[in-house]
Amino acid sequence: MTLASWVRSLTGWRRLAFAVAAGGFSALSTAPYGVWPVLAIGFPALILLIDGAGHARRRGRGAMLRAAAWAGWGFGFGYFLASLWWIGDAFLVEAEDFGWLLPFAVLLLPAGLALFMALGAVLARLAWPSGAGRICVFAVAFTISEWLRGHVLTGFPWNTFGYGPAATLELAQGAAVVGLWGLTFFALLLFATPVLLLRPGSLARRTAWPVAALVVLAGAYGAGAYRLATTPARFLEHVHLRLLQPAIPQGEKFAYDKRKSVLAGYLELSQQPSALYPKGLDDVSLLIWPESAFPFIYEREPWAKALIAQVLPQNVTLVTGAARLGDPPPGQTSSFFNSIRVMNARGETQTVADKVHLVPFGEYLPFQAFLESIGLEQLTRVRGGFSAGDRLRPLPLPGAPSAAPLICYEAIFPGAVVPEGERPGFLLNLTNDAWFGDTPGPHQHFLQARLRAVEEGLPLVRSANTGVSAIVDPLGRIVASRDLGARGVLDGDLPAALPTPPVGARLSSTILTILMLFTSLIAACAIWRHHTRIG
């Protein structure tokens, strides 16, 4: 029995276990590992399992589709369990209150996300031809299911398959043309082709598609390398940045009784001299602190304004994450907002941008009132949860281009990071990844934010409590960064945006639609030939 025949013949728990193992193995493609060639093993394994679902046809079409769904679900469960287990760390910050939820979070989230993989497998099996045509069906069906995962129920496109090859900067340049969803489509299409090496026939017949995939991959790498080599980084030398990475443990960051020492620590760190700025803040124009910097509501603590005014020179503008109180938007009940403030040297708030895309169970609870009535609360422990801003707005900054303000995981949503209207000068991402400690989570978060820079042709300025803080140019090159967990400042000039948005920022959806329609046509021809042979 050949390897392909053995995989196709698996049934019951062995079939499910193999699917989970294949998905878990494929998770090595995610950050911080970035071993994306493993997808050339994981995807063929999933295709063989979908092949094997055809053995259930004799029990009816429903049995066949259920077998495909279980294969897709098992693969997805293994993939998400192995790549998202770190989410459980957030429930250990206050383990006495939230620790009991850890197994539910670690298991239920992968189980739920795996339903999209099950859908992809069912969609694929509904039009499953034999031979090379099934590669096209596989790529189209799973691109659709991944896109749905990124949009349904507010969306969660974390660790979408396109991020695998995007860990290689040369290949990430493709996002400037086809965006994340296009990279996902190509990853599925190209890394599925090795399954054809297992089919019978001549060497030329078995290797034609895999060799073509290698040629495309090499071409994409070469084009990306050329783009990087011929597009030098440019900087706005009048915009001098200082980013803070205070590395405050999550258990202390929100402790109200430590509010004065926390703010004093921020200010002390902000003033330190560095090789680039030997006079400390005297040389800085934009001082940037991470998300939720204050363990208090700023307007309720007048001493904080006075302390900031004592320290900041007149030339410095402070940009910081800080919760605020305001009037609830229509249809919402909470007066709390997760916000970014722009403050002058007198400690006065000049501009505010509210977070639009809130984290479920972190910043709000679905069915908030009911769940609170039975004793549940979100991790931020704000009664009533946070309210969301009505829309993403540009953030004007004195003496600098306006920014696209992105708080925490707002940076993971492709096509949704730039406000409508005049194009901003850079992406500003303030985050607090201390929830997840020294785990893969912060590395995955940074990779996704970095790809937004490539997609939009805009530099990324990212201040994180514990990392990864970075200044990234519009091609995704890291100008400066601080490692996860390191405490200190990050200094540098602001990279200039590309003069015009990349074609992908404007047309990636259209390009992807054309590619998928063309691939679907190839698949339809394969299906027609398959049924003609059967007939």
Side-chain angles (χ1 to χ4, degrees):
M1 179 183 289
T2 64
L3 175 62
S5 298
W6 177 78
V7 175
R8 291 186 182 109
S9 67
L10 291 172
T11 58
W13 69 266
R14 291 180 178 84
R15 177 180 170 81
L16 182 61
F18 184 86
V20 172
F25 179 70
S26 299
L28 289 172
S29 64
T30 63
Y33 317 110
V35 190
W36 49 264
V38 300
L39 296 175
I41 298 173
F43 289 165
L46 179 54
I47 287 175
L48 293 176
L49 290 170
I50 298 174
D51 281 345
H55 296 165
R57 186 185 289 111
R58 61 182 179 273
R59 301 198 304 274
R61 184 180 178 84
M64 179 185 70
L65 295 180
R66 282 193 298 274
W70 276 111
W73 184 89
F75 184 92
F77 181 74
Y79 179 78
F80 293 119
L81 182 64
S83 64
L84 295 178
W85 59 266
W86 49 266
I87 286 177
D89 258 42
F91 296 87
L92 297 178
V93 172
E94 297 183 55
E96 66 281 1
D97 293 320
F98 295 106
W100 65 276
L101 288 170
L102 186 149
F104 296 97
V106 171
L107 295 176
L108 289 182
L109 179 62
L113 295 175
L115 293 174
F116 291 97
M117 298 284 190
L119 174 62
V122 169
L123 291 176
R125 188 65 231 190
L126 282 169
W128 200 244
S130 60
R134 70 201 205 280
I135 303 300
C136 298
V137 171
F138 174 81
V140 170
F142 277 87
T143 298
I144 291 172
S145 68
E146 283 288 85
W147 184 91
L148 289 172
R149 179 166 70 87
H151 291 82
V152 172
L153 297 177
T154 77
F156 190 65
W158 201 283
N159 285 348
T160 298
F161 294 127
Y163 286 119
T168 299
L169 189 57
E170 289 80 2
L171 295 177
Q173 301 309 303
V177 180
V178 296
L180 171 64
W181 304 116
L183 290 182
T184 296
F185 170 75
F186 277 112
L188 288 160
L189 184 68
L190 299 181
F191 298 138
T193 58
V195 74
L196 300 177
L197 297 171
L198 303 177
R199 65 177 173 171
S202 66
L203 180 63
R205 180 171 182 267
R206 287 185 288 115
T207 58
W209 277 61
V211 169
L214 285 174
V215 170
V216 171
L217 198 61
Y221 184 93
Y226 177 80
R227 184 174 191 250
L228 290 167
T230 57
T231 312
R234 297 183 303 111
F235 295 89
L236 304 180
E237 296 182 356
H238 64 284
V239 182
H240 305 302
L241 305 174
R242 166 158 285 186
L243 283 60
L244 241 65
Q245 185 165 294
I248 302 173
Q250 186 59 34
E252 300 178 15
K253 183 173 172 58
F254 289 154
Y256 181 72
D257 61 339
K258 296 182 182 295
R259 62 194 183 281
K260 293 190 175 182
S261 63
V262 166
L263 182 55
Y266 273 98
L267 291 169
E268 179 184 2
L269 190 58
S270 298
Q271 297 176 82
Q272 73 174 34
S274 68
L276 188 61
Y277 302 146
K279 297 181 181 179
L281 284 177
D282 289 347
D283 301 310
V284 174
S285 52
L286 285 182
L287 174 63
I288 301 174
W289 294 354
E291 178 190 11
S292 303
F294 304 142
F296 52 84
I297 299 299
Y298 186 69
E299 286 75 15
R300 292 178 172 176
E301 308 282 342
W303 61 269
K305 178 180 176 180
L307 189 59
I308 289 173
Q310 289 176 13
V311 172
L312 295 191
Q314 289 301 311
N315 58 289
V316 174
T317 295
L318 172 62
V319 182
T320 181
R324 75 174 184 91
L325 277 174
D327 295 328
Q332 302 184 57
T333 58
S334 175
S335 299
F336 289 95
F337 297 82
N338 190 354
S339 305
I340 296 176
R341 297 170 182 258
V342 178
M343 303 170 67
N344 61 25
R346 297 184 297 276
E348 298 166 342
T349 299
Q350 297 179 303
T351 311
V352 172
D354 297 324
K355 187 175 184 181
V356 176
H357 211 132
L358 301 178
V359 180
F361 300 100
E363 293 168 316
Y364 76 98
L365 295 174
F367 312 106
Q368 183 87 35
F370 169 73
L371 292 180
E372 283 187 341
S373 71
I374 62 175
L376 295 182
E377 56 186 345
Q378 64 277 348
L379 290 173
T380 49
R381 310 195 77 160
V382 173
R383 188 71 179 174
F386 284 92
S387 280
D390 59 345
R391 62 185 174 90
L392 188 64
R393 302 172 185 272
L395 188 67
L397 297 166
S402 65
L406 305 168
I407 300 176
C408 189
Y409 92 145
E410 286 186 308
I412 75 170
F413 295 96
V417 297
V418 174
E420 294 182 3
E422 185 177 350
R423 186 180 183 223
F426 65 104
L427 306 176
L428 175 65
N429 184 207
L430 306 188
T431 189
N432 174 28
D433 288 350
W435 285 106
F436 308 110
D438 187 7
T439 68
H443 297 283
Q444 295 170 6
H445 196 185
F446 174 57
L447 172 63
Q448 294 175 79
R450 183 183 178 190
L451 193 64
R452 299 292 86 76
V454 181
E455 290 171 347
E456 301 293 343
L458 295 173
L460 168 71
V461 175
R462 189 172 196 266
S463 177
N465 178 29
T466 57
V468 179
S469 297
I471 301 171
V472 177
D473 84 352
L475 269 65
R477 291 176 290 214
I478 298 174
V479 176
S481 67
R482 277 238 166 229
D483 292 337
L484 180 63
R487 183 177 186 270
V489 296
L490 185 65
D491 298 333
D493 292 336
L494 177 65
L498 295 183
T500 57
V503 63
R506 294 171 279 120
L507 298 173
S508 63
S509 297
T510 302
I511 294 170
L512 176 60
T513 300
I514 293 171
L515 288 170
M516 290 183 64
L517 287 174
F518 179 71
T519 306
S520 298
L521 180 61
I522 296 174
C525 292
I527 294 168
W528 179 79
R529 287 196 303 269
H530 174 70
H531 287 295
T532 300
R533 286 197 301 269
I534 293 176

